[in-house]
Amino acid sequence: MNNSTFFLKNPVSCSSFIRLNIKKSIKHLSILMLFIFFGFSANAQIWVNPLTTGRPIATNYLGDNLGSSWYFNFEIGQTSWNTSDVGIGQNPDGLTGWSWASANYYEDGSYPNKHVRRDIGSFQFTAIGTWYVVGRAKANSGDASTYADEGTWSNDTNLTASSSTGSCPYFTVSPIENPTSQAGIVFSGTQIDLSWSQWNSKNVMVVRRLTSAASSSAPAQGTSYSVGNSLGSGSVVYNGSATNYSDTGLSSDLGYTYVFYSVNNNYYSAGANAIVKGGSSIAITGSTSFTLNGLPQGPNTSTVSGSTGTVTYSYVGVSGTSYSASATPPTYPGSYTVTATVAADTNYNGASSSATTFTISAGLYTYIPDTNFLNALIDSFNLQRY
């Protein structure tokens, strides 16, 4: 009864006690929910979205720069973050050989998104193939980076750098092509005039070597060369924007090989050759006086400089001696000339000697012309009589 009287006498105090405890519970729950929410937000993986896309973005050539102020852009899905970068490279791991640099804020997107970018205009493509480019960001220093490689909003921390799967943007880089229509023409014994057509308006470097020497070395990619620099057995004779050049101070009896390279910011094409053969000479040697012996005879030796090609001889009768040009030396007495010719080879042009006169005398023998020839003359005479 006393207890009943107590509750009946203090209804307001009881109600206040209940309300106070309910308020305390709500307050504690609210604090707990805020803690859970903000704690989750602080540690949740950041979301990113690519703004620059393309597979490929463009096709470039070895040695190219993208040009001044070429921006790669992406979007971050919150108002603040720890770091944001843009990287470009070829290895799918996103690390080996990659160039990473900060991506800076430049404008707001739809709230709370922020747009960031990196200027990669000065980046140079130093190898052919596929070059991936991607943005990444992290909310806190201890977080893994989220990559903007999915083609849309993503919080994926795995980079998928591939030209066959996924959506990671990339550039395709092709080899530099050679100059065309390269040629070398001998202007004089000591000068060769060179000409070519540029590829894609690129400068041309020309390397000269003796054709008989070992091949010249290819230029090192990314290295600058000046006239006079050596490349193995060769040397640079021209590097510039023209389409012709006269190479002087040469030897007329030597063969030269010229290699023409297109140049793109100190990166080079594979090279195209033009061979200018050297001059050859040949002279008849040996006796020019022979005595009838019933066998073909005449000079058949010579000295040659230059070509190692096959040497041939041509014999012909002169001064009333009837003998048509033939590779076989004459047999009968008379006056003749012989000319020697050496064929061209890889390094040298062919050449012919001057005609050398020689004779075959009867000596102690009485020269009896061919009986078939005499019989033909008699038959002809008899027919004319009748």
Side-chain angles (χ1 to χ4, degrees):
M1 187 67 178
N2 290 335
N3 289 337
S4 298
T5 304
F6 173 79
F7 283 109
L8 290 172
K9 289 183 176 179
N10 298 282
V12 175
S13 297
C14 182
S15 175
S16 298
F17 174 81
I18 293 171
R19 284 198 300 271
L20 178 61
N21 280 278
I22 291 174
K23 286 181 179 179
K24 286 181 179 181
S25 297
I26 292 173
K27 180 178 180 181
H28 291 158
L29 180 61
S30 298
I31 292 171
L32 177 61
M33 291 179 65
L34 288 171
F35 173 80
I36 292 171
F37 175 80
F38 285 107
F40 174 79
S41 297
N43 292 287
Q45 194 60 44
I46 196 169
W47 287 74
V48 293
N49 177 47
L51 297 176
T52 302
T53 59
R55 292 175 56 80
I57 298 170
T59 297
N60 296 84
Y61 291 97
L62 178 66
D64 274 353
N65 299 113
L66 292 173
S68 59
S69 300
W70 203 105
Y71 291 100
F72 185 88
N73 310 325
F74 71 102
E75 188 172 17
I76 297 174
Q78 56 193 59
T79 58
S80 63
W81 57 93
N82 179 253
T83 59
S84 55
D85 313 275
V86 167
I88 183 168
Q90 290 191 288
N91 196 303
D93 66 7
L95 299 172
T96 307
W98 277 62
S99 167
W100 287 98
S102 295
N104 300 313
Y105 165 83
Y106 68 96
E107 68 179 13
D108 287 343
S110 300
Y111 185 81
N113 307 331
K114 302 292 183 180
H115 293 179
V116 295
R117 65 186 182 182
R118 173 190 170 187
D119 185 356
I120 58 173
S122 62
F123 183 82
Q124 186 174 34
F125 294 111
T126 57
I128 62 172
T130 301
W131 286 83
Y132 305 102
V133 57
V134 66
R136 69 182 183 185
K138 58 174 65 176
N140 303 289
S141 60
D143 292 348
S145 293
T146 295
Y147 291 92
D149 64 340
E150 299 297 324
T152 186
W153 284 102
S154 170
N155 66 344
D156 189 359
T157 58
N158 297 310
L159 172 63
T160 303
S162 170
S163 60
S164 59
T165 61
S167 301
C168 185
Y170 65 84
F171 293 92
T172 297
V173 178
S174 300
I176 304 166
E177 296 182 23
N178 289 322
T180 58
S181 305
Q182 63 276 3
I185 298 174
V186 176
F187 177 79
S188 69
T190 59
Q191 177 176 321
I192 294 175
D193 289 341
L194 305 171
S195 62
W196 58 87
S197 296
Q198 291 175 315
W199 168 78
N200 211 19
S201 301
K202 298 300 182 182
N203 283 2
V204 170
M205 183 173 75
V206 182
V207 176
R208 180 194 67 216
R209 68 173 173 88
L210 291 175
T211 304
S212 58
S215 297
S216 56
S217 300
Q221 301 291 6
T223 301
S224 175
Y225 294 93
S226 301
V227 172
N229 288 162
S230 295
L231 282 168
S233 64
S235 61
V236 178
V237 296
Y238 178 81
N239 194 342
S241 59
T243 56
N244 58 79
Y245 173 72
S246 294
D247 192 19
T248 59
L250 307 174
S251 297
S252 61
D253 59 346
L254 295 177
Y256 296 94
T257 294
Y258 294 89
V259 189
F260 299 77
Y261 299 95
S262 296
V263 185
N264 186 26
N265 299 319
N266 295 328
Y267 283 77
Y268 303 89
S269 64
N273 292 356
I275 297 175
V276 180
K277 294 184 177 183
S280 298
S281 64
I282 184 170
I284 299 291
T285 60
S287 176
T288 58
S289 181
F290 299 86
T291 300
L292 178 68
N293 63 7
L295 299 174
Q297 56 186 329
N300 62 358
T301 57
S302 56
T303 57
V304 179
S305 70
S307 177
T308 58
T310 301
V311 175
T312 58
Y313 298 90
S314 178
Y315 303 89
V316 64
V318 296
S319 301
T321 300
S322 179
Y323 192 78
S324 298
S326 173
T328 302
T331 300
Y332 302 112
S335 295
Y336 304 88
T337 61
V338 59
T339 301
T341 299
V342 59
D345 65 7
T346 302
N347 302 333
Y348 295 92
N349 291 312
S352 294
S353 70
S354 57
T356 297
T357 301
F358 69 98
T359 60
I360 300 176
S361 64
L364 298 177
Y365 297 91
T366 299
Y367 170 53
I368 300 175
D370 189 304
T371 55
N372 291 330
F373 176 71
L374 288 177
N375 290 335
L377 285 177
I378 292 170
D379 290 343
S380 177
F381 176 75
N382 291 331
L383 286 172
Q384 290 178 13
R385 289 181 61 190
Y386 297 104

